[in-house]
Amino acid sequence: MREPRSAPPARTSPRRDPHDQHTTALVADLREHSPEFDHWWEQHRVHQRTHGSKRLRHPLVGELTVEYETLSPPGDPDTTLFAYTAEAGSPSKRALDLLASWTLTGSNTRAACAAQWG
C-alpha cells in the first residue's frame, strides 16, 4: 500500500490556514471514507517535494522529461518558485529550445513545429 501523492500536500494546507472550511471538510470526508487515507493522515507525514523529475506532454512538441526544483522565499511561505530544466542535448532540451524560439520570434505555429519535428 503506497501513500498517494495527494496526502502530504493535503496535510500542509490546513497548517497554513486552519480555518479553511473547504479543506477541513475534504479531509474529514476522506478520513471517513478511506481507511488508507486516515492511516496516512494519522502518521503526520508532512513534506513537500522540493525536487525531482516530471514527464510532460506538450500539444505541439510531444513528450518532455524535465528536472525541477522548488524554492520558497523565507519571508513568504505561500509563494513557491518552480524551476524546470532539461538535460543538455536531450530531445526534451531541443523541444524546449524550439518552444523558446517561438516566443522570441512570434512564430509559434503548428507549421513551424511540423517543419522542425516532421
Side-chain angles (χ1 to χ4, degrees):
M1 173 170 46
R2 266 185 52 198
E3 176 181 30
R5 289 184 178 182
S6 59
R11 191 88 170 108
T12 60
S13 189
R15 279 186 35 194
R16 270 193 237 151
D17 185 3
H19 303 293
D20 179 353
Q21 294 177 352
H22 295 299
T23 301
T24 302
L26 173 64
V27 169
D29 187 53
L30 288 169
R31 291 187 73 186
E32 179 181 339
H33 293 96
S34 171
E36 293 89 0
F37 186 90
D38 186 53
H39 171 75
W40 294 316
W41 191 262
E42 283 301 316
Q43 289 180 343
H44 296 280
R45 293 180 58 191
V46 178
H47 66 280
Q48 178 183 6
R49 296 183 195 284
T50 59
H51 65 281
S53 291
K54 287 189 181 265
R55 293 186 64 198
L56 308 170
R57 176 149 180 74
H58 189 278
L60 298 178
V61 297
E63 296 289 328
L64 301 165
T65 300
V66 295
E67 300 299 315
Y68 72 93
E69 294 278 337
T70 61
L71 309 162
S72 296
D76 189 359
D78 292 332
T79 299
T80 303
L81 171 68
F82 294 87
Y84 294 92
T85 59
E87 184 178 338
S90 69
S92 294
K93 175 66 170 140
R94 289 191 297 277
L96 289 174
D97 288 346
L98 177 63
L99 292 171
S101 74
W102 291 343
T103 63
L104 297 174
T105 64
S107 62
N108 57 349
T109 65
R110 290 184 188 269
C113 183
Q116 176 73 23
W117 295 92

